[in-house]
């Protein structure tokens, strides 16, 4: 929370050396592109396998980068990518039937196309949004053959070789819905706070994974 307040103060103090816009001022976003960088907090979640096994993941932090175009003061079309990693504990059953516990981390890479509807035409507005894209999940669990890899190290001016085993990973379609509030601090900058839910079309769990997050973003409008 402290870093969010620090970023907010930075935007306010450096926003074109101008006064903040009144909440009911007409928005300048129409016919403007925008870029935003934000932080998101992913909530705790739980997955259960169809046959056995339960995964409990801790809440975690990640980042999100957004970009798009405001066709009108109400309608925005764009996309975002986000990266988040969560530590987890999984209770599993080995092939011999004995119970075991696995500790590792899940990494999520999200790529979504998003449409957003700003409910008001003023600089301060609530909004709703929906998106469709894909989510790639790295389980943090080694899977597959061990392979030898080599790379050039410019510091020692020589090639170095080693062995690695890739992790089990999956990529599936996902859909996002969310609500939020946006405030354009000046004609060229804005801040945004939102909460989103993402449903991943992964069918090897009892229920498709549903992830919830809260994000805070700082952005700029581009003519």
């Amino acid at each position: 929370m402290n870093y969010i307040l620090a970023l907010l103060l930075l935007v306010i103090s450096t926003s074109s050396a101008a006064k903040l816009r009144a909440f009911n001022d007409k928005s300048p976003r129409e016919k403007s592109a925008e870029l935003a960088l934000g932080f998101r907090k992913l909530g705790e979640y739980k997955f259960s396998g169809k046959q056995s096994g339960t995964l409990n993941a801790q809440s975690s932090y990640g980042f999100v980068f957004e970009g798009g175009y405001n066709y009108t003061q109400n309608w925005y079309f764009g996309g975002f990518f986000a990266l988040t990693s969560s530590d987890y504990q999984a209770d599993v059953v080995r092939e011999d039937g004995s119970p075991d516990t696995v500790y590792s981390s899940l990494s999520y890479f999200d790529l979504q196309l998003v449409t957003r509807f700003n409910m008001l035409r003023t600089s301060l507005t609530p909004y709703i949004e929906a998106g469709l894209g894909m989510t790639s999940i790295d389980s943090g669990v080694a899977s597959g053959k061990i392979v030898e890899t080599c790379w050039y190290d410019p510091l020692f001016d020589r090639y170095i070789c080693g062995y690695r085993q890739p992790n089990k990973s999956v990529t599936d379609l996902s859909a996002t819905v969310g609500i939020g509030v946006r405030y354009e601090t000046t004609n060229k900058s804005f801040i945004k706070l939102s909460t989103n839910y993402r449903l991943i079309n992964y069918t090897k769990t009892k229920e498709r994974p549903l992830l919830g997050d809260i994000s805070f973003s700082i952005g700029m409008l581009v003519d």
Side-chain angles (χ1 to χ4, degrees):
M1 182 59 68
N2 289 337
Y3 71 81
I4 292 178
L5 292 176
L7 288 172
L8 180 58
L9 289 174
L10 178 63
V11 169
I12 294 174
S13 62
T14 61
S15 57
S16 304
K19 293 188 302 181
L20 296 181
R21 297 176 59 86
F23 291 159
N24 59 349
D25 281 357
K26 183 179 179 181
S27 169
R29 59 182 170 265
E30 185 173 3
K31 304 301 182 184
S32 294
E34 65 179 57
L35 297 172
L37 178 64
F39 300 90
R40 74 173 180 177
K41 180 179 181 181
L42 186 65
E44 297 180 356
Y45 54 91
K46 178 179 179 179
F47 299 157
S48 296
K50 286 186 174 181
Q51 303 299 324
S52 63
T54 301
L55 182 149
N56 292 280
Q58 302 175 5
S59 62
S60 60
Y61 291 91
F63 75 90
V64 56
F65 180 77
E66 304 174 75
Y69 188 76
N70 296 283
Y71 284 91
T72 69
Q73 290 167 328
N74 297 111
W75 286 105
Y76 163 92
F77 297 92
F80 71 83
F81 72 83
L83 183 64
T84 313
S85 181
S86 301
D87 294 332
Y88 71 83
Q89 172 186 317
D91 299 319
V92 299
V93 178
R94 292 182 174 274
E95 292 183 356
D96 60 6
S98 60
D100 196 5
T101 302
V102 176
Y103 298 90
S104 190
S105 61
L106 286 175
S107 296
Y108 297 92
F109 177 82
D110 294 301
L111 183 63
Q112 299 275 312
L113 296 176
V114 173
T115 181
R116 180 182 304 144
F117 179 72
N118 297 302
M119 297 179 184
L120 304 175
R121 297 185 179 185
T122 53
S123 60
L124 177 66
T125 178
Y127 66 82
I128 57 175
E129 66 180 7
L132 185 66
M134 62 181 183
T135 298
S136 181
I137 306 174
D138 185 327
S139 68
V141 177
S143 176
K145 295 181 179 180
I146 298 176
V147 296
E148 182 180 18
T149 59
C150 298
W151 64 93
Y152 175 73
D153 189 325
L155 181 62
F156 295 99
D157 191 28
R158 63 188 178 91
Y159 281 93
I160 298 176
C161 293
Y163 295 90
R164 69 179 183 87
Q165 188 174 14
N167 290 338
K168 174 67 175 179
S169 61
V170 295
T171 300
D172 279 301
L173 289 173
S174 57
T176 297
V177 293
I179 59 173
V181 61
R182 168 195 175 103
Y183 172 47
E184 283 144 10
T185 55
T186 70
N187 285 336
K188 295 295 184 181
S189 62
F190 64 89
I191 55 177
K192 187 163 64 70
L193 181 67
S194 64
T195 180
N196 293 272
Y197 286 92
R198 188 169 295 95
L199 180 67
I200 304 172
N201 188 37
Y202 184 66
T203 59
K204 294 185 178 180
T205 52
K206 285 185 178 179
E207 298 178 349
R208 287 175 172 80
L210 180 63
L211 306 177
D213 65 70
I214 298 174
S215 64
F216 173 80
S217 301
I218 296 175
M220 60 182 293
L221 295 171
V222 183
D223 292 333

PDB file of all heavy atoms in Angstrom, residues 48-51 168 170 202-206:
ATOM      1  N   SER A  48      -8.607 -27.828  -7.226  1.00  0.00           N
ATOM      2  CA  SER A  48      -8.731 -29.245  -6.867  1.00  0.00           C
ATOM      3  C   SER A  48      -8.725 -30.079  -8.135  1.00  0.00           C
ATOM      4  O   SER A  48      -9.432 -29.750  -9.102  1.00  0.00           O
ATOM      5  CB  SER A  48     -10.029 -29.504  -6.086  1.00  0.00           C
ATOM      6  OG  SER A  48     -10.024 -28.824  -4.859  1.00  0.00           O
ATOM      7  N   GLY A  49      -7.935 -31.151  -8.143  1.00  0.00           N
ATOM      8  CA  GLY A  49      -7.895 -32.039  -9.294  1.00  0.00           C
ATOM      9  C   GLY A  49      -9.158 -32.868  -9.407  1.00  0.00           C
ATOM     10  O   GLY A  49      -9.870 -33.081  -8.415  1.00  0.00           O
ATOM     11  N   LYS A  50      -9.439 -33.355 -10.604  1.00  0.00           N
ATOM     12  CA  LYS A  50     -10.649 -34.159 -10.812  1.00  0.00           C
ATOM     13  C   LYS A  50     -10.589 -35.472 -10.055  1.00  0.00           C
ATOM     14  O   LYS A  50     -11.602 -35.958  -9.551  1.00  0.00           O
ATOM     15  CB  LYS A  50     -10.840 -34.419 -12.307  1.00  0.00           C
ATOM     16  CG  LYS A  50     -11.328 -33.220 -13.090  1.00  0.00           C
ATOM     17  CD  LYS A  50     -11.646 -33.580 -14.527  1.00  0.00           C
ATOM     18  CE  LYS A  50     -12.263 -32.407 -15.266  1.00  0.00           C
ATOM     19  NZ  LYS A  50     -12.603 -32.745 -16.674  1.00  0.00           N
ATOM     20  N   GLN A  51      -9.419 -36.073  -9.964  1.00  0.00           N
ATOM     21  CA  GLN A  51      -9.271 -37.352  -9.281  1.00  0.00           C
ATOM     22  C   GLN A  51      -8.797 -37.178  -7.845  1.00  0.00           C
ATOM     23  O   GLN A  51      -9.358 -37.752  -6.923  1.00  0.00           O
ATOM     24  CB  GLN A  51      -8.281 -38.243 -10.057  1.00  0.00           C
ATOM     25  CG  GLN A  51      -8.678 -38.487 -11.506  1.00  0.00           C
ATOM     26  CD  GLN A  51     -10.010 -39.191 -11.625  1.00  0.00           C
ATOM     27  OE1 GLN A  51     -10.347 -40.048 -10.802  1.00  0.00           O
ATOM     28  NE2 GLN A  51     -10.781 -38.843 -12.649  1.00  0.00           N
ATOM     29  N   LYS A 168       6.489 -28.094 -16.202  1.00  0.00           N
ATOM     30  CA  LYS A 168       5.193 -28.361 -16.799  1.00  0.00           C
ATOM     31  C   LYS A 168       4.443 -27.046 -16.976  1.00  0.00           C
ATOM     32  O   LYS A 168       4.316 -26.254 -16.032  1.00  0.00           O
ATOM     33  CB  LYS A 168       4.385 -29.305 -15.903  1.00  0.00           C
ATOM     34  CG  LYS A 168       2.959 -29.542 -16.363  1.00  0.00           C
ATOM     35  CD  LYS A 168       2.895 -30.306 -17.666  1.00  0.00           C
ATOM     36  CE  LYS A 168       1.459 -30.637 -18.036  1.00  0.00           C
ATOM     37  NZ  LYS A 168       1.343 -31.351 -19.315  1.00  0.00           N
ATOM     38  N   VAL A 170       1.054 -24.913 -19.273  1.00  0.00           N
ATOM     39  CA  VAL A 170      -0.124 -25.011 -20.125  1.00  0.00           C
ATOM     40  C   VAL A 170      -0.506 -23.610 -20.578  1.00  0.00           C
ATOM     41  O   VAL A 170      -0.233 -22.616 -19.897  1.00  0.00           O
ATOM     42  CB  VAL A 170      -1.318 -25.667 -19.405  1.00  0.00           C
ATOM     43  CG1 VAL A 170      -1.014 -27.110 -19.057  1.00  0.00           C
ATOM     44  CG2 VAL A 170      -1.715 -24.875 -18.174  1.00  0.00           C
ATOM     45  N   TYR A 202      -9.267 -24.101 -18.341  1.00  0.00           N
ATOM     46  CA  TYR A 202      -8.437 -25.273 -18.047  1.00  0.00           C
ATOM     47  C   TYR A 202      -9.352 -26.352 -17.480  1.00  0.00           C
ATOM     48  O   TYR A 202     -10.021 -26.146 -16.461  1.00  0.00           O
ATOM     49  CB  TYR A 202      -7.347 -24.906 -17.040  1.00  0.00           C
ATOM     50  CG  TYR A 202      -6.389 -26.028 -16.738  1.00  0.00           C
ATOM     51  CD1 TYR A 202      -5.525 -26.525 -17.711  1.00  0.00           C
ATOM     52  CD2 TYR A 202      -6.336 -26.596 -15.467  1.00  0.00           C
ATOM     53  CE1 TYR A 202      -4.640 -27.548 -17.425  1.00  0.00           C
ATOM     54  CE2 TYR A 202      -5.455 -27.622 -15.176  1.00  0.00           C
ATOM     55  CZ  TYR A 202      -4.612 -28.095 -16.164  1.00  0.00           C
ATOM     56  OH  TYR A 202      -3.733 -29.120 -15.880  1.00  0.00           O
ATOM     57  N   THR A 203      -9.406 -27.507 -18.133  1.00  0.00           N
ATOM     58  CA  THR A 203     -10.439 -28.509 -17.828  1.00  0.00           C
ATOM     59  C   THR A 203      -9.944 -29.681 -16.981  1.00  0.00           C
ATOM     60  O   THR A 203     -10.707 -30.610 -16.742  1.00  0.00           O
ATOM     61  CB  THR A 203     -11.019 -29.054 -19.140  1.00  0.00           C
ATOM     62  OG1 THR A 203      -9.967 -29.638 -19.927  1.00  0.00           O
ATOM     63  CG2 THR A 203     -11.681 -27.933 -19.940  1.00  0.00           C
ATOM     64  N   LYS A 204      -8.702 -29.649 -16.504  1.00  0.00           N
ATOM     65  CA  LYS A 204      -8.191 -30.770 -15.726  1.00  0.00           C
ATOM     66  C   LYS A 204      -8.357 -30.565 -14.228  1.00  0.00           C
ATOM     67  O   LYS A 204      -7.834 -31.337 -13.430  1.00  0.00           O
ATOM     68  CB  LYS A 204      -6.726 -31.026 -16.077  1.00  0.00           C
ATOM     69  CG  LYS A 204      -6.549 -31.503 -17.516  1.00  0.00           C
ATOM     70  CD  LYS A 204      -5.108 -31.881 -17.821  1.00  0.00           C
ATOM     71  CE  LYS A 204      -4.967 -32.403 -19.239  1.00  0.00           C
ATOM     72  NZ  LYS A 204      -3.581 -32.791 -19.577  1.00  0.00           N
ATOM     73  N   THR A 205      -9.082 -29.524 -13.839  1.00  0.00           N
ATOM     74  CA  THR A 205      -9.464 -29.330 -12.449  1.00  0.00           C
ATOM     75  C   THR A 205     -10.971 -29.527 -12.332  1.00  0.00           C
ATOM     76  O   THR A 205     -11.691 -29.534 -13.329  1.00  0.00           O
ATOM     77  CB  THR A 205      -9.081 -27.912 -11.977  1.00  0.00           C
ATOM     78  OG1 THR A 205      -9.607 -26.952 -12.901  1.00  0.00           O
ATOM     79  CG2 THR A 205      -7.571 -27.756 -11.909  1.00  0.00           C
ATOM     80  N   LYS A 206     -11.451 -29.693 -11.099  1.00  0.00           N
ATOM     81  CA  LYS A 206     -12.886 -29.914 -10.901  1.00  0.00           C
ATOM     82  C   LYS A 206     -13.702 -28.756 -11.462  1.00  0.00           C
ATOM     83  O   LYS A 206     -14.749 -28.936 -12.065  1.00  0.00           O
ATOM     84  CB  LYS A 206     -13.185 -30.101  -9.414  1.00  0.00           C
ATOM     85  CG  LYS A 206     -12.775 -31.456  -8.860  1.00  0.00           C
ATOM     86  CD  LYS A 206     -13.206 -31.605  -7.411  1.00  0.00           C
ATOM     87  CE  LYS A 206     -12.834 -32.982  -6.863  1.00  0.00           C
ATOM     88  NZ  LYS A 206     -13.238 -33.140  -5.441  1.00  0.00           N
TER      89      LYS A 206
END
